[in-house]
Amino acid sequence: MITDIRRTLPRAAWWGACLCLAVLFAYPLYVMVAQSLKSPKEAAEAPPTLYPHGLSLENYRSLGHTGNVSFTHHVMNSVQVSIGATIGTAVLATLAGYAFAKLRFKGSGLLFFAILATFMIPFQAIITPLFSILHDLHLQNSLLGLALVYMTFQLPFGVFLMRNSFASLPASIEEAALIDGCSTLRAMYRVLLPVAVPGLISTALFTFFTCWNEFFAALILVTDEDKFTLPVTLTTLSSNSFGTLNWGVMQAGVAVTVIPCVVLYLLLQRYYVSGLVAGAVK
């Protein structure tokens, strides 16, 4: 009996602590969704109620009529920029990560160190040169230019993840493919990459989350309202007419922005975590 209690108590304490942490992190999401589902009058009440007394989608309907451009258009802007930057980063990071992990060439260590060193450069420090480069390329105030800027900043971490993923794979897998007649590129694409999928998913998710939520570059590099991404659009929701703030509509906009990231993470969290730790013990 005493032995069973000694075994059960630590496990119960562990699950209790996990439950407390889950409630702590989930509470802000609950408040956001609850506020967005209240009527505009109830959402403006102070202090706010813990749960909506009557479910209402009026805030979401009002969200589609704010500003001169539809909210759906801003959602599609974010989708285009985030997916474009994610695909570009995933492709380039895969090729570079494979080269650093499996190929031997002069200066590879120094070059990889230089790529990692770019982590130390704050984004705000080079926003002006980036603005000038985009202006020279006629990509200023464009979604394509914004996606290229995002790729520039996500590639170092993507290369780091994919290099660790490929380095954690046994060399015998690639050697067997080469002996069977595969070229180097075909062995990477057909044999190694399917095994390194967790690293690829981690790279893609990290890039997508960062681009989806990025605000500063989108605010500086894009000036036309019809090209605003979601984070910039949310700031326009916070400044309603006569200085008033429509909490319900704003929380509905935040919910539309946050929920896709939460769903993606829940669906792919197993690959995301395993990809981040790939090669950590090698």
Side-chain angles (χ1 to χ4, degrees), residues 6-200:
R6 286 178 178 175
R7 290 178 179 174
T8 305
L9 278 180
R11 186 176 300 177
W14 165 254
W15 283 110
C18 290
L19 182 62
C20 291
L21 284 175
V23 171
L24 183 66
F25 284 104
Y27 183 70
L29 293 176
Y30 166 76
V31 171
M32 173 190 69
V33 175
Q35 283 290 103
S36 69
L37 293 175
K38 294 176 181 177
S39 65
K41 181 180 178 182
E42 185 182 358
E45 290 180 353
T49 54
L50 186 60
Y51 55 89
H53 294 297
L55 294 179
S56 171
L57 296 178
E58 188 173 346
N59 291 319
Y60 289 94
R61 284 194 289 268
S62 300
L63 193 61
H65 304 292
T66 54
N68 299 320
V69 183
S70 71
F71 194 78
T72 307
H73 186 83
H74 296 301
V75 174
M76 293 310 299
N77 287 345
S78 282
V79 169
Q80 293 177 52
V81 171
S82 301
I83 291 182
T86 299
I87 293 175
T89 301
V91 172
L92 294 178
T94 298
L95 295 174
Y98 172 78
F100 283 117
K102 298 296 183 181
L103 304 181
R104 295 290 176 264
F105 54 92
K106 190 174 182 180
S108 61
L110 182 62
L111 181 58
F112 185 64
F113 176 78
I115 290 176
L116 293 184
T118 58
F119 284 128
M120 308 295 177
I121 302 175
F123 174 72
Q124 293 81 358
I126 59 173
I127 189 65
T128 302
L130 283 175
F131 187 88
S132 299
I133 292 172
L134 290 180
H135 182 268
D136 294 340
L137 295 174
H138 303 289
L139 292 175
Q140 178 195 359
N141 192 27
S142 72
L143 297 180
L144 176 59
L146 187 61
L148 291 175
V149 169
Y150 287 164
M151 283 177 57
T152 303
F153 281 90
Q154 297 309 311
L155 263 176
F157 189 65
V159 172
F160 173 72
L161 284 180
M162 292 308 298
R163 185 259 183 194
N164 285 352
S165 296
F166 284 121
S168 65
L169 303 180
S172 57
I173 298 178
E174 185 183 19
E175 291 171 358
L178 294 176
I179 292 174
D180 287 341
C182 287
S183 64
T184 302
L185 189 61
R186 189 177 179 84
M188 185 273 290
Y189 173 69
R190 299 296 297 271
V191 179
L192 295 183
L193 188 57
V195 188
V197 161
L200 184 61

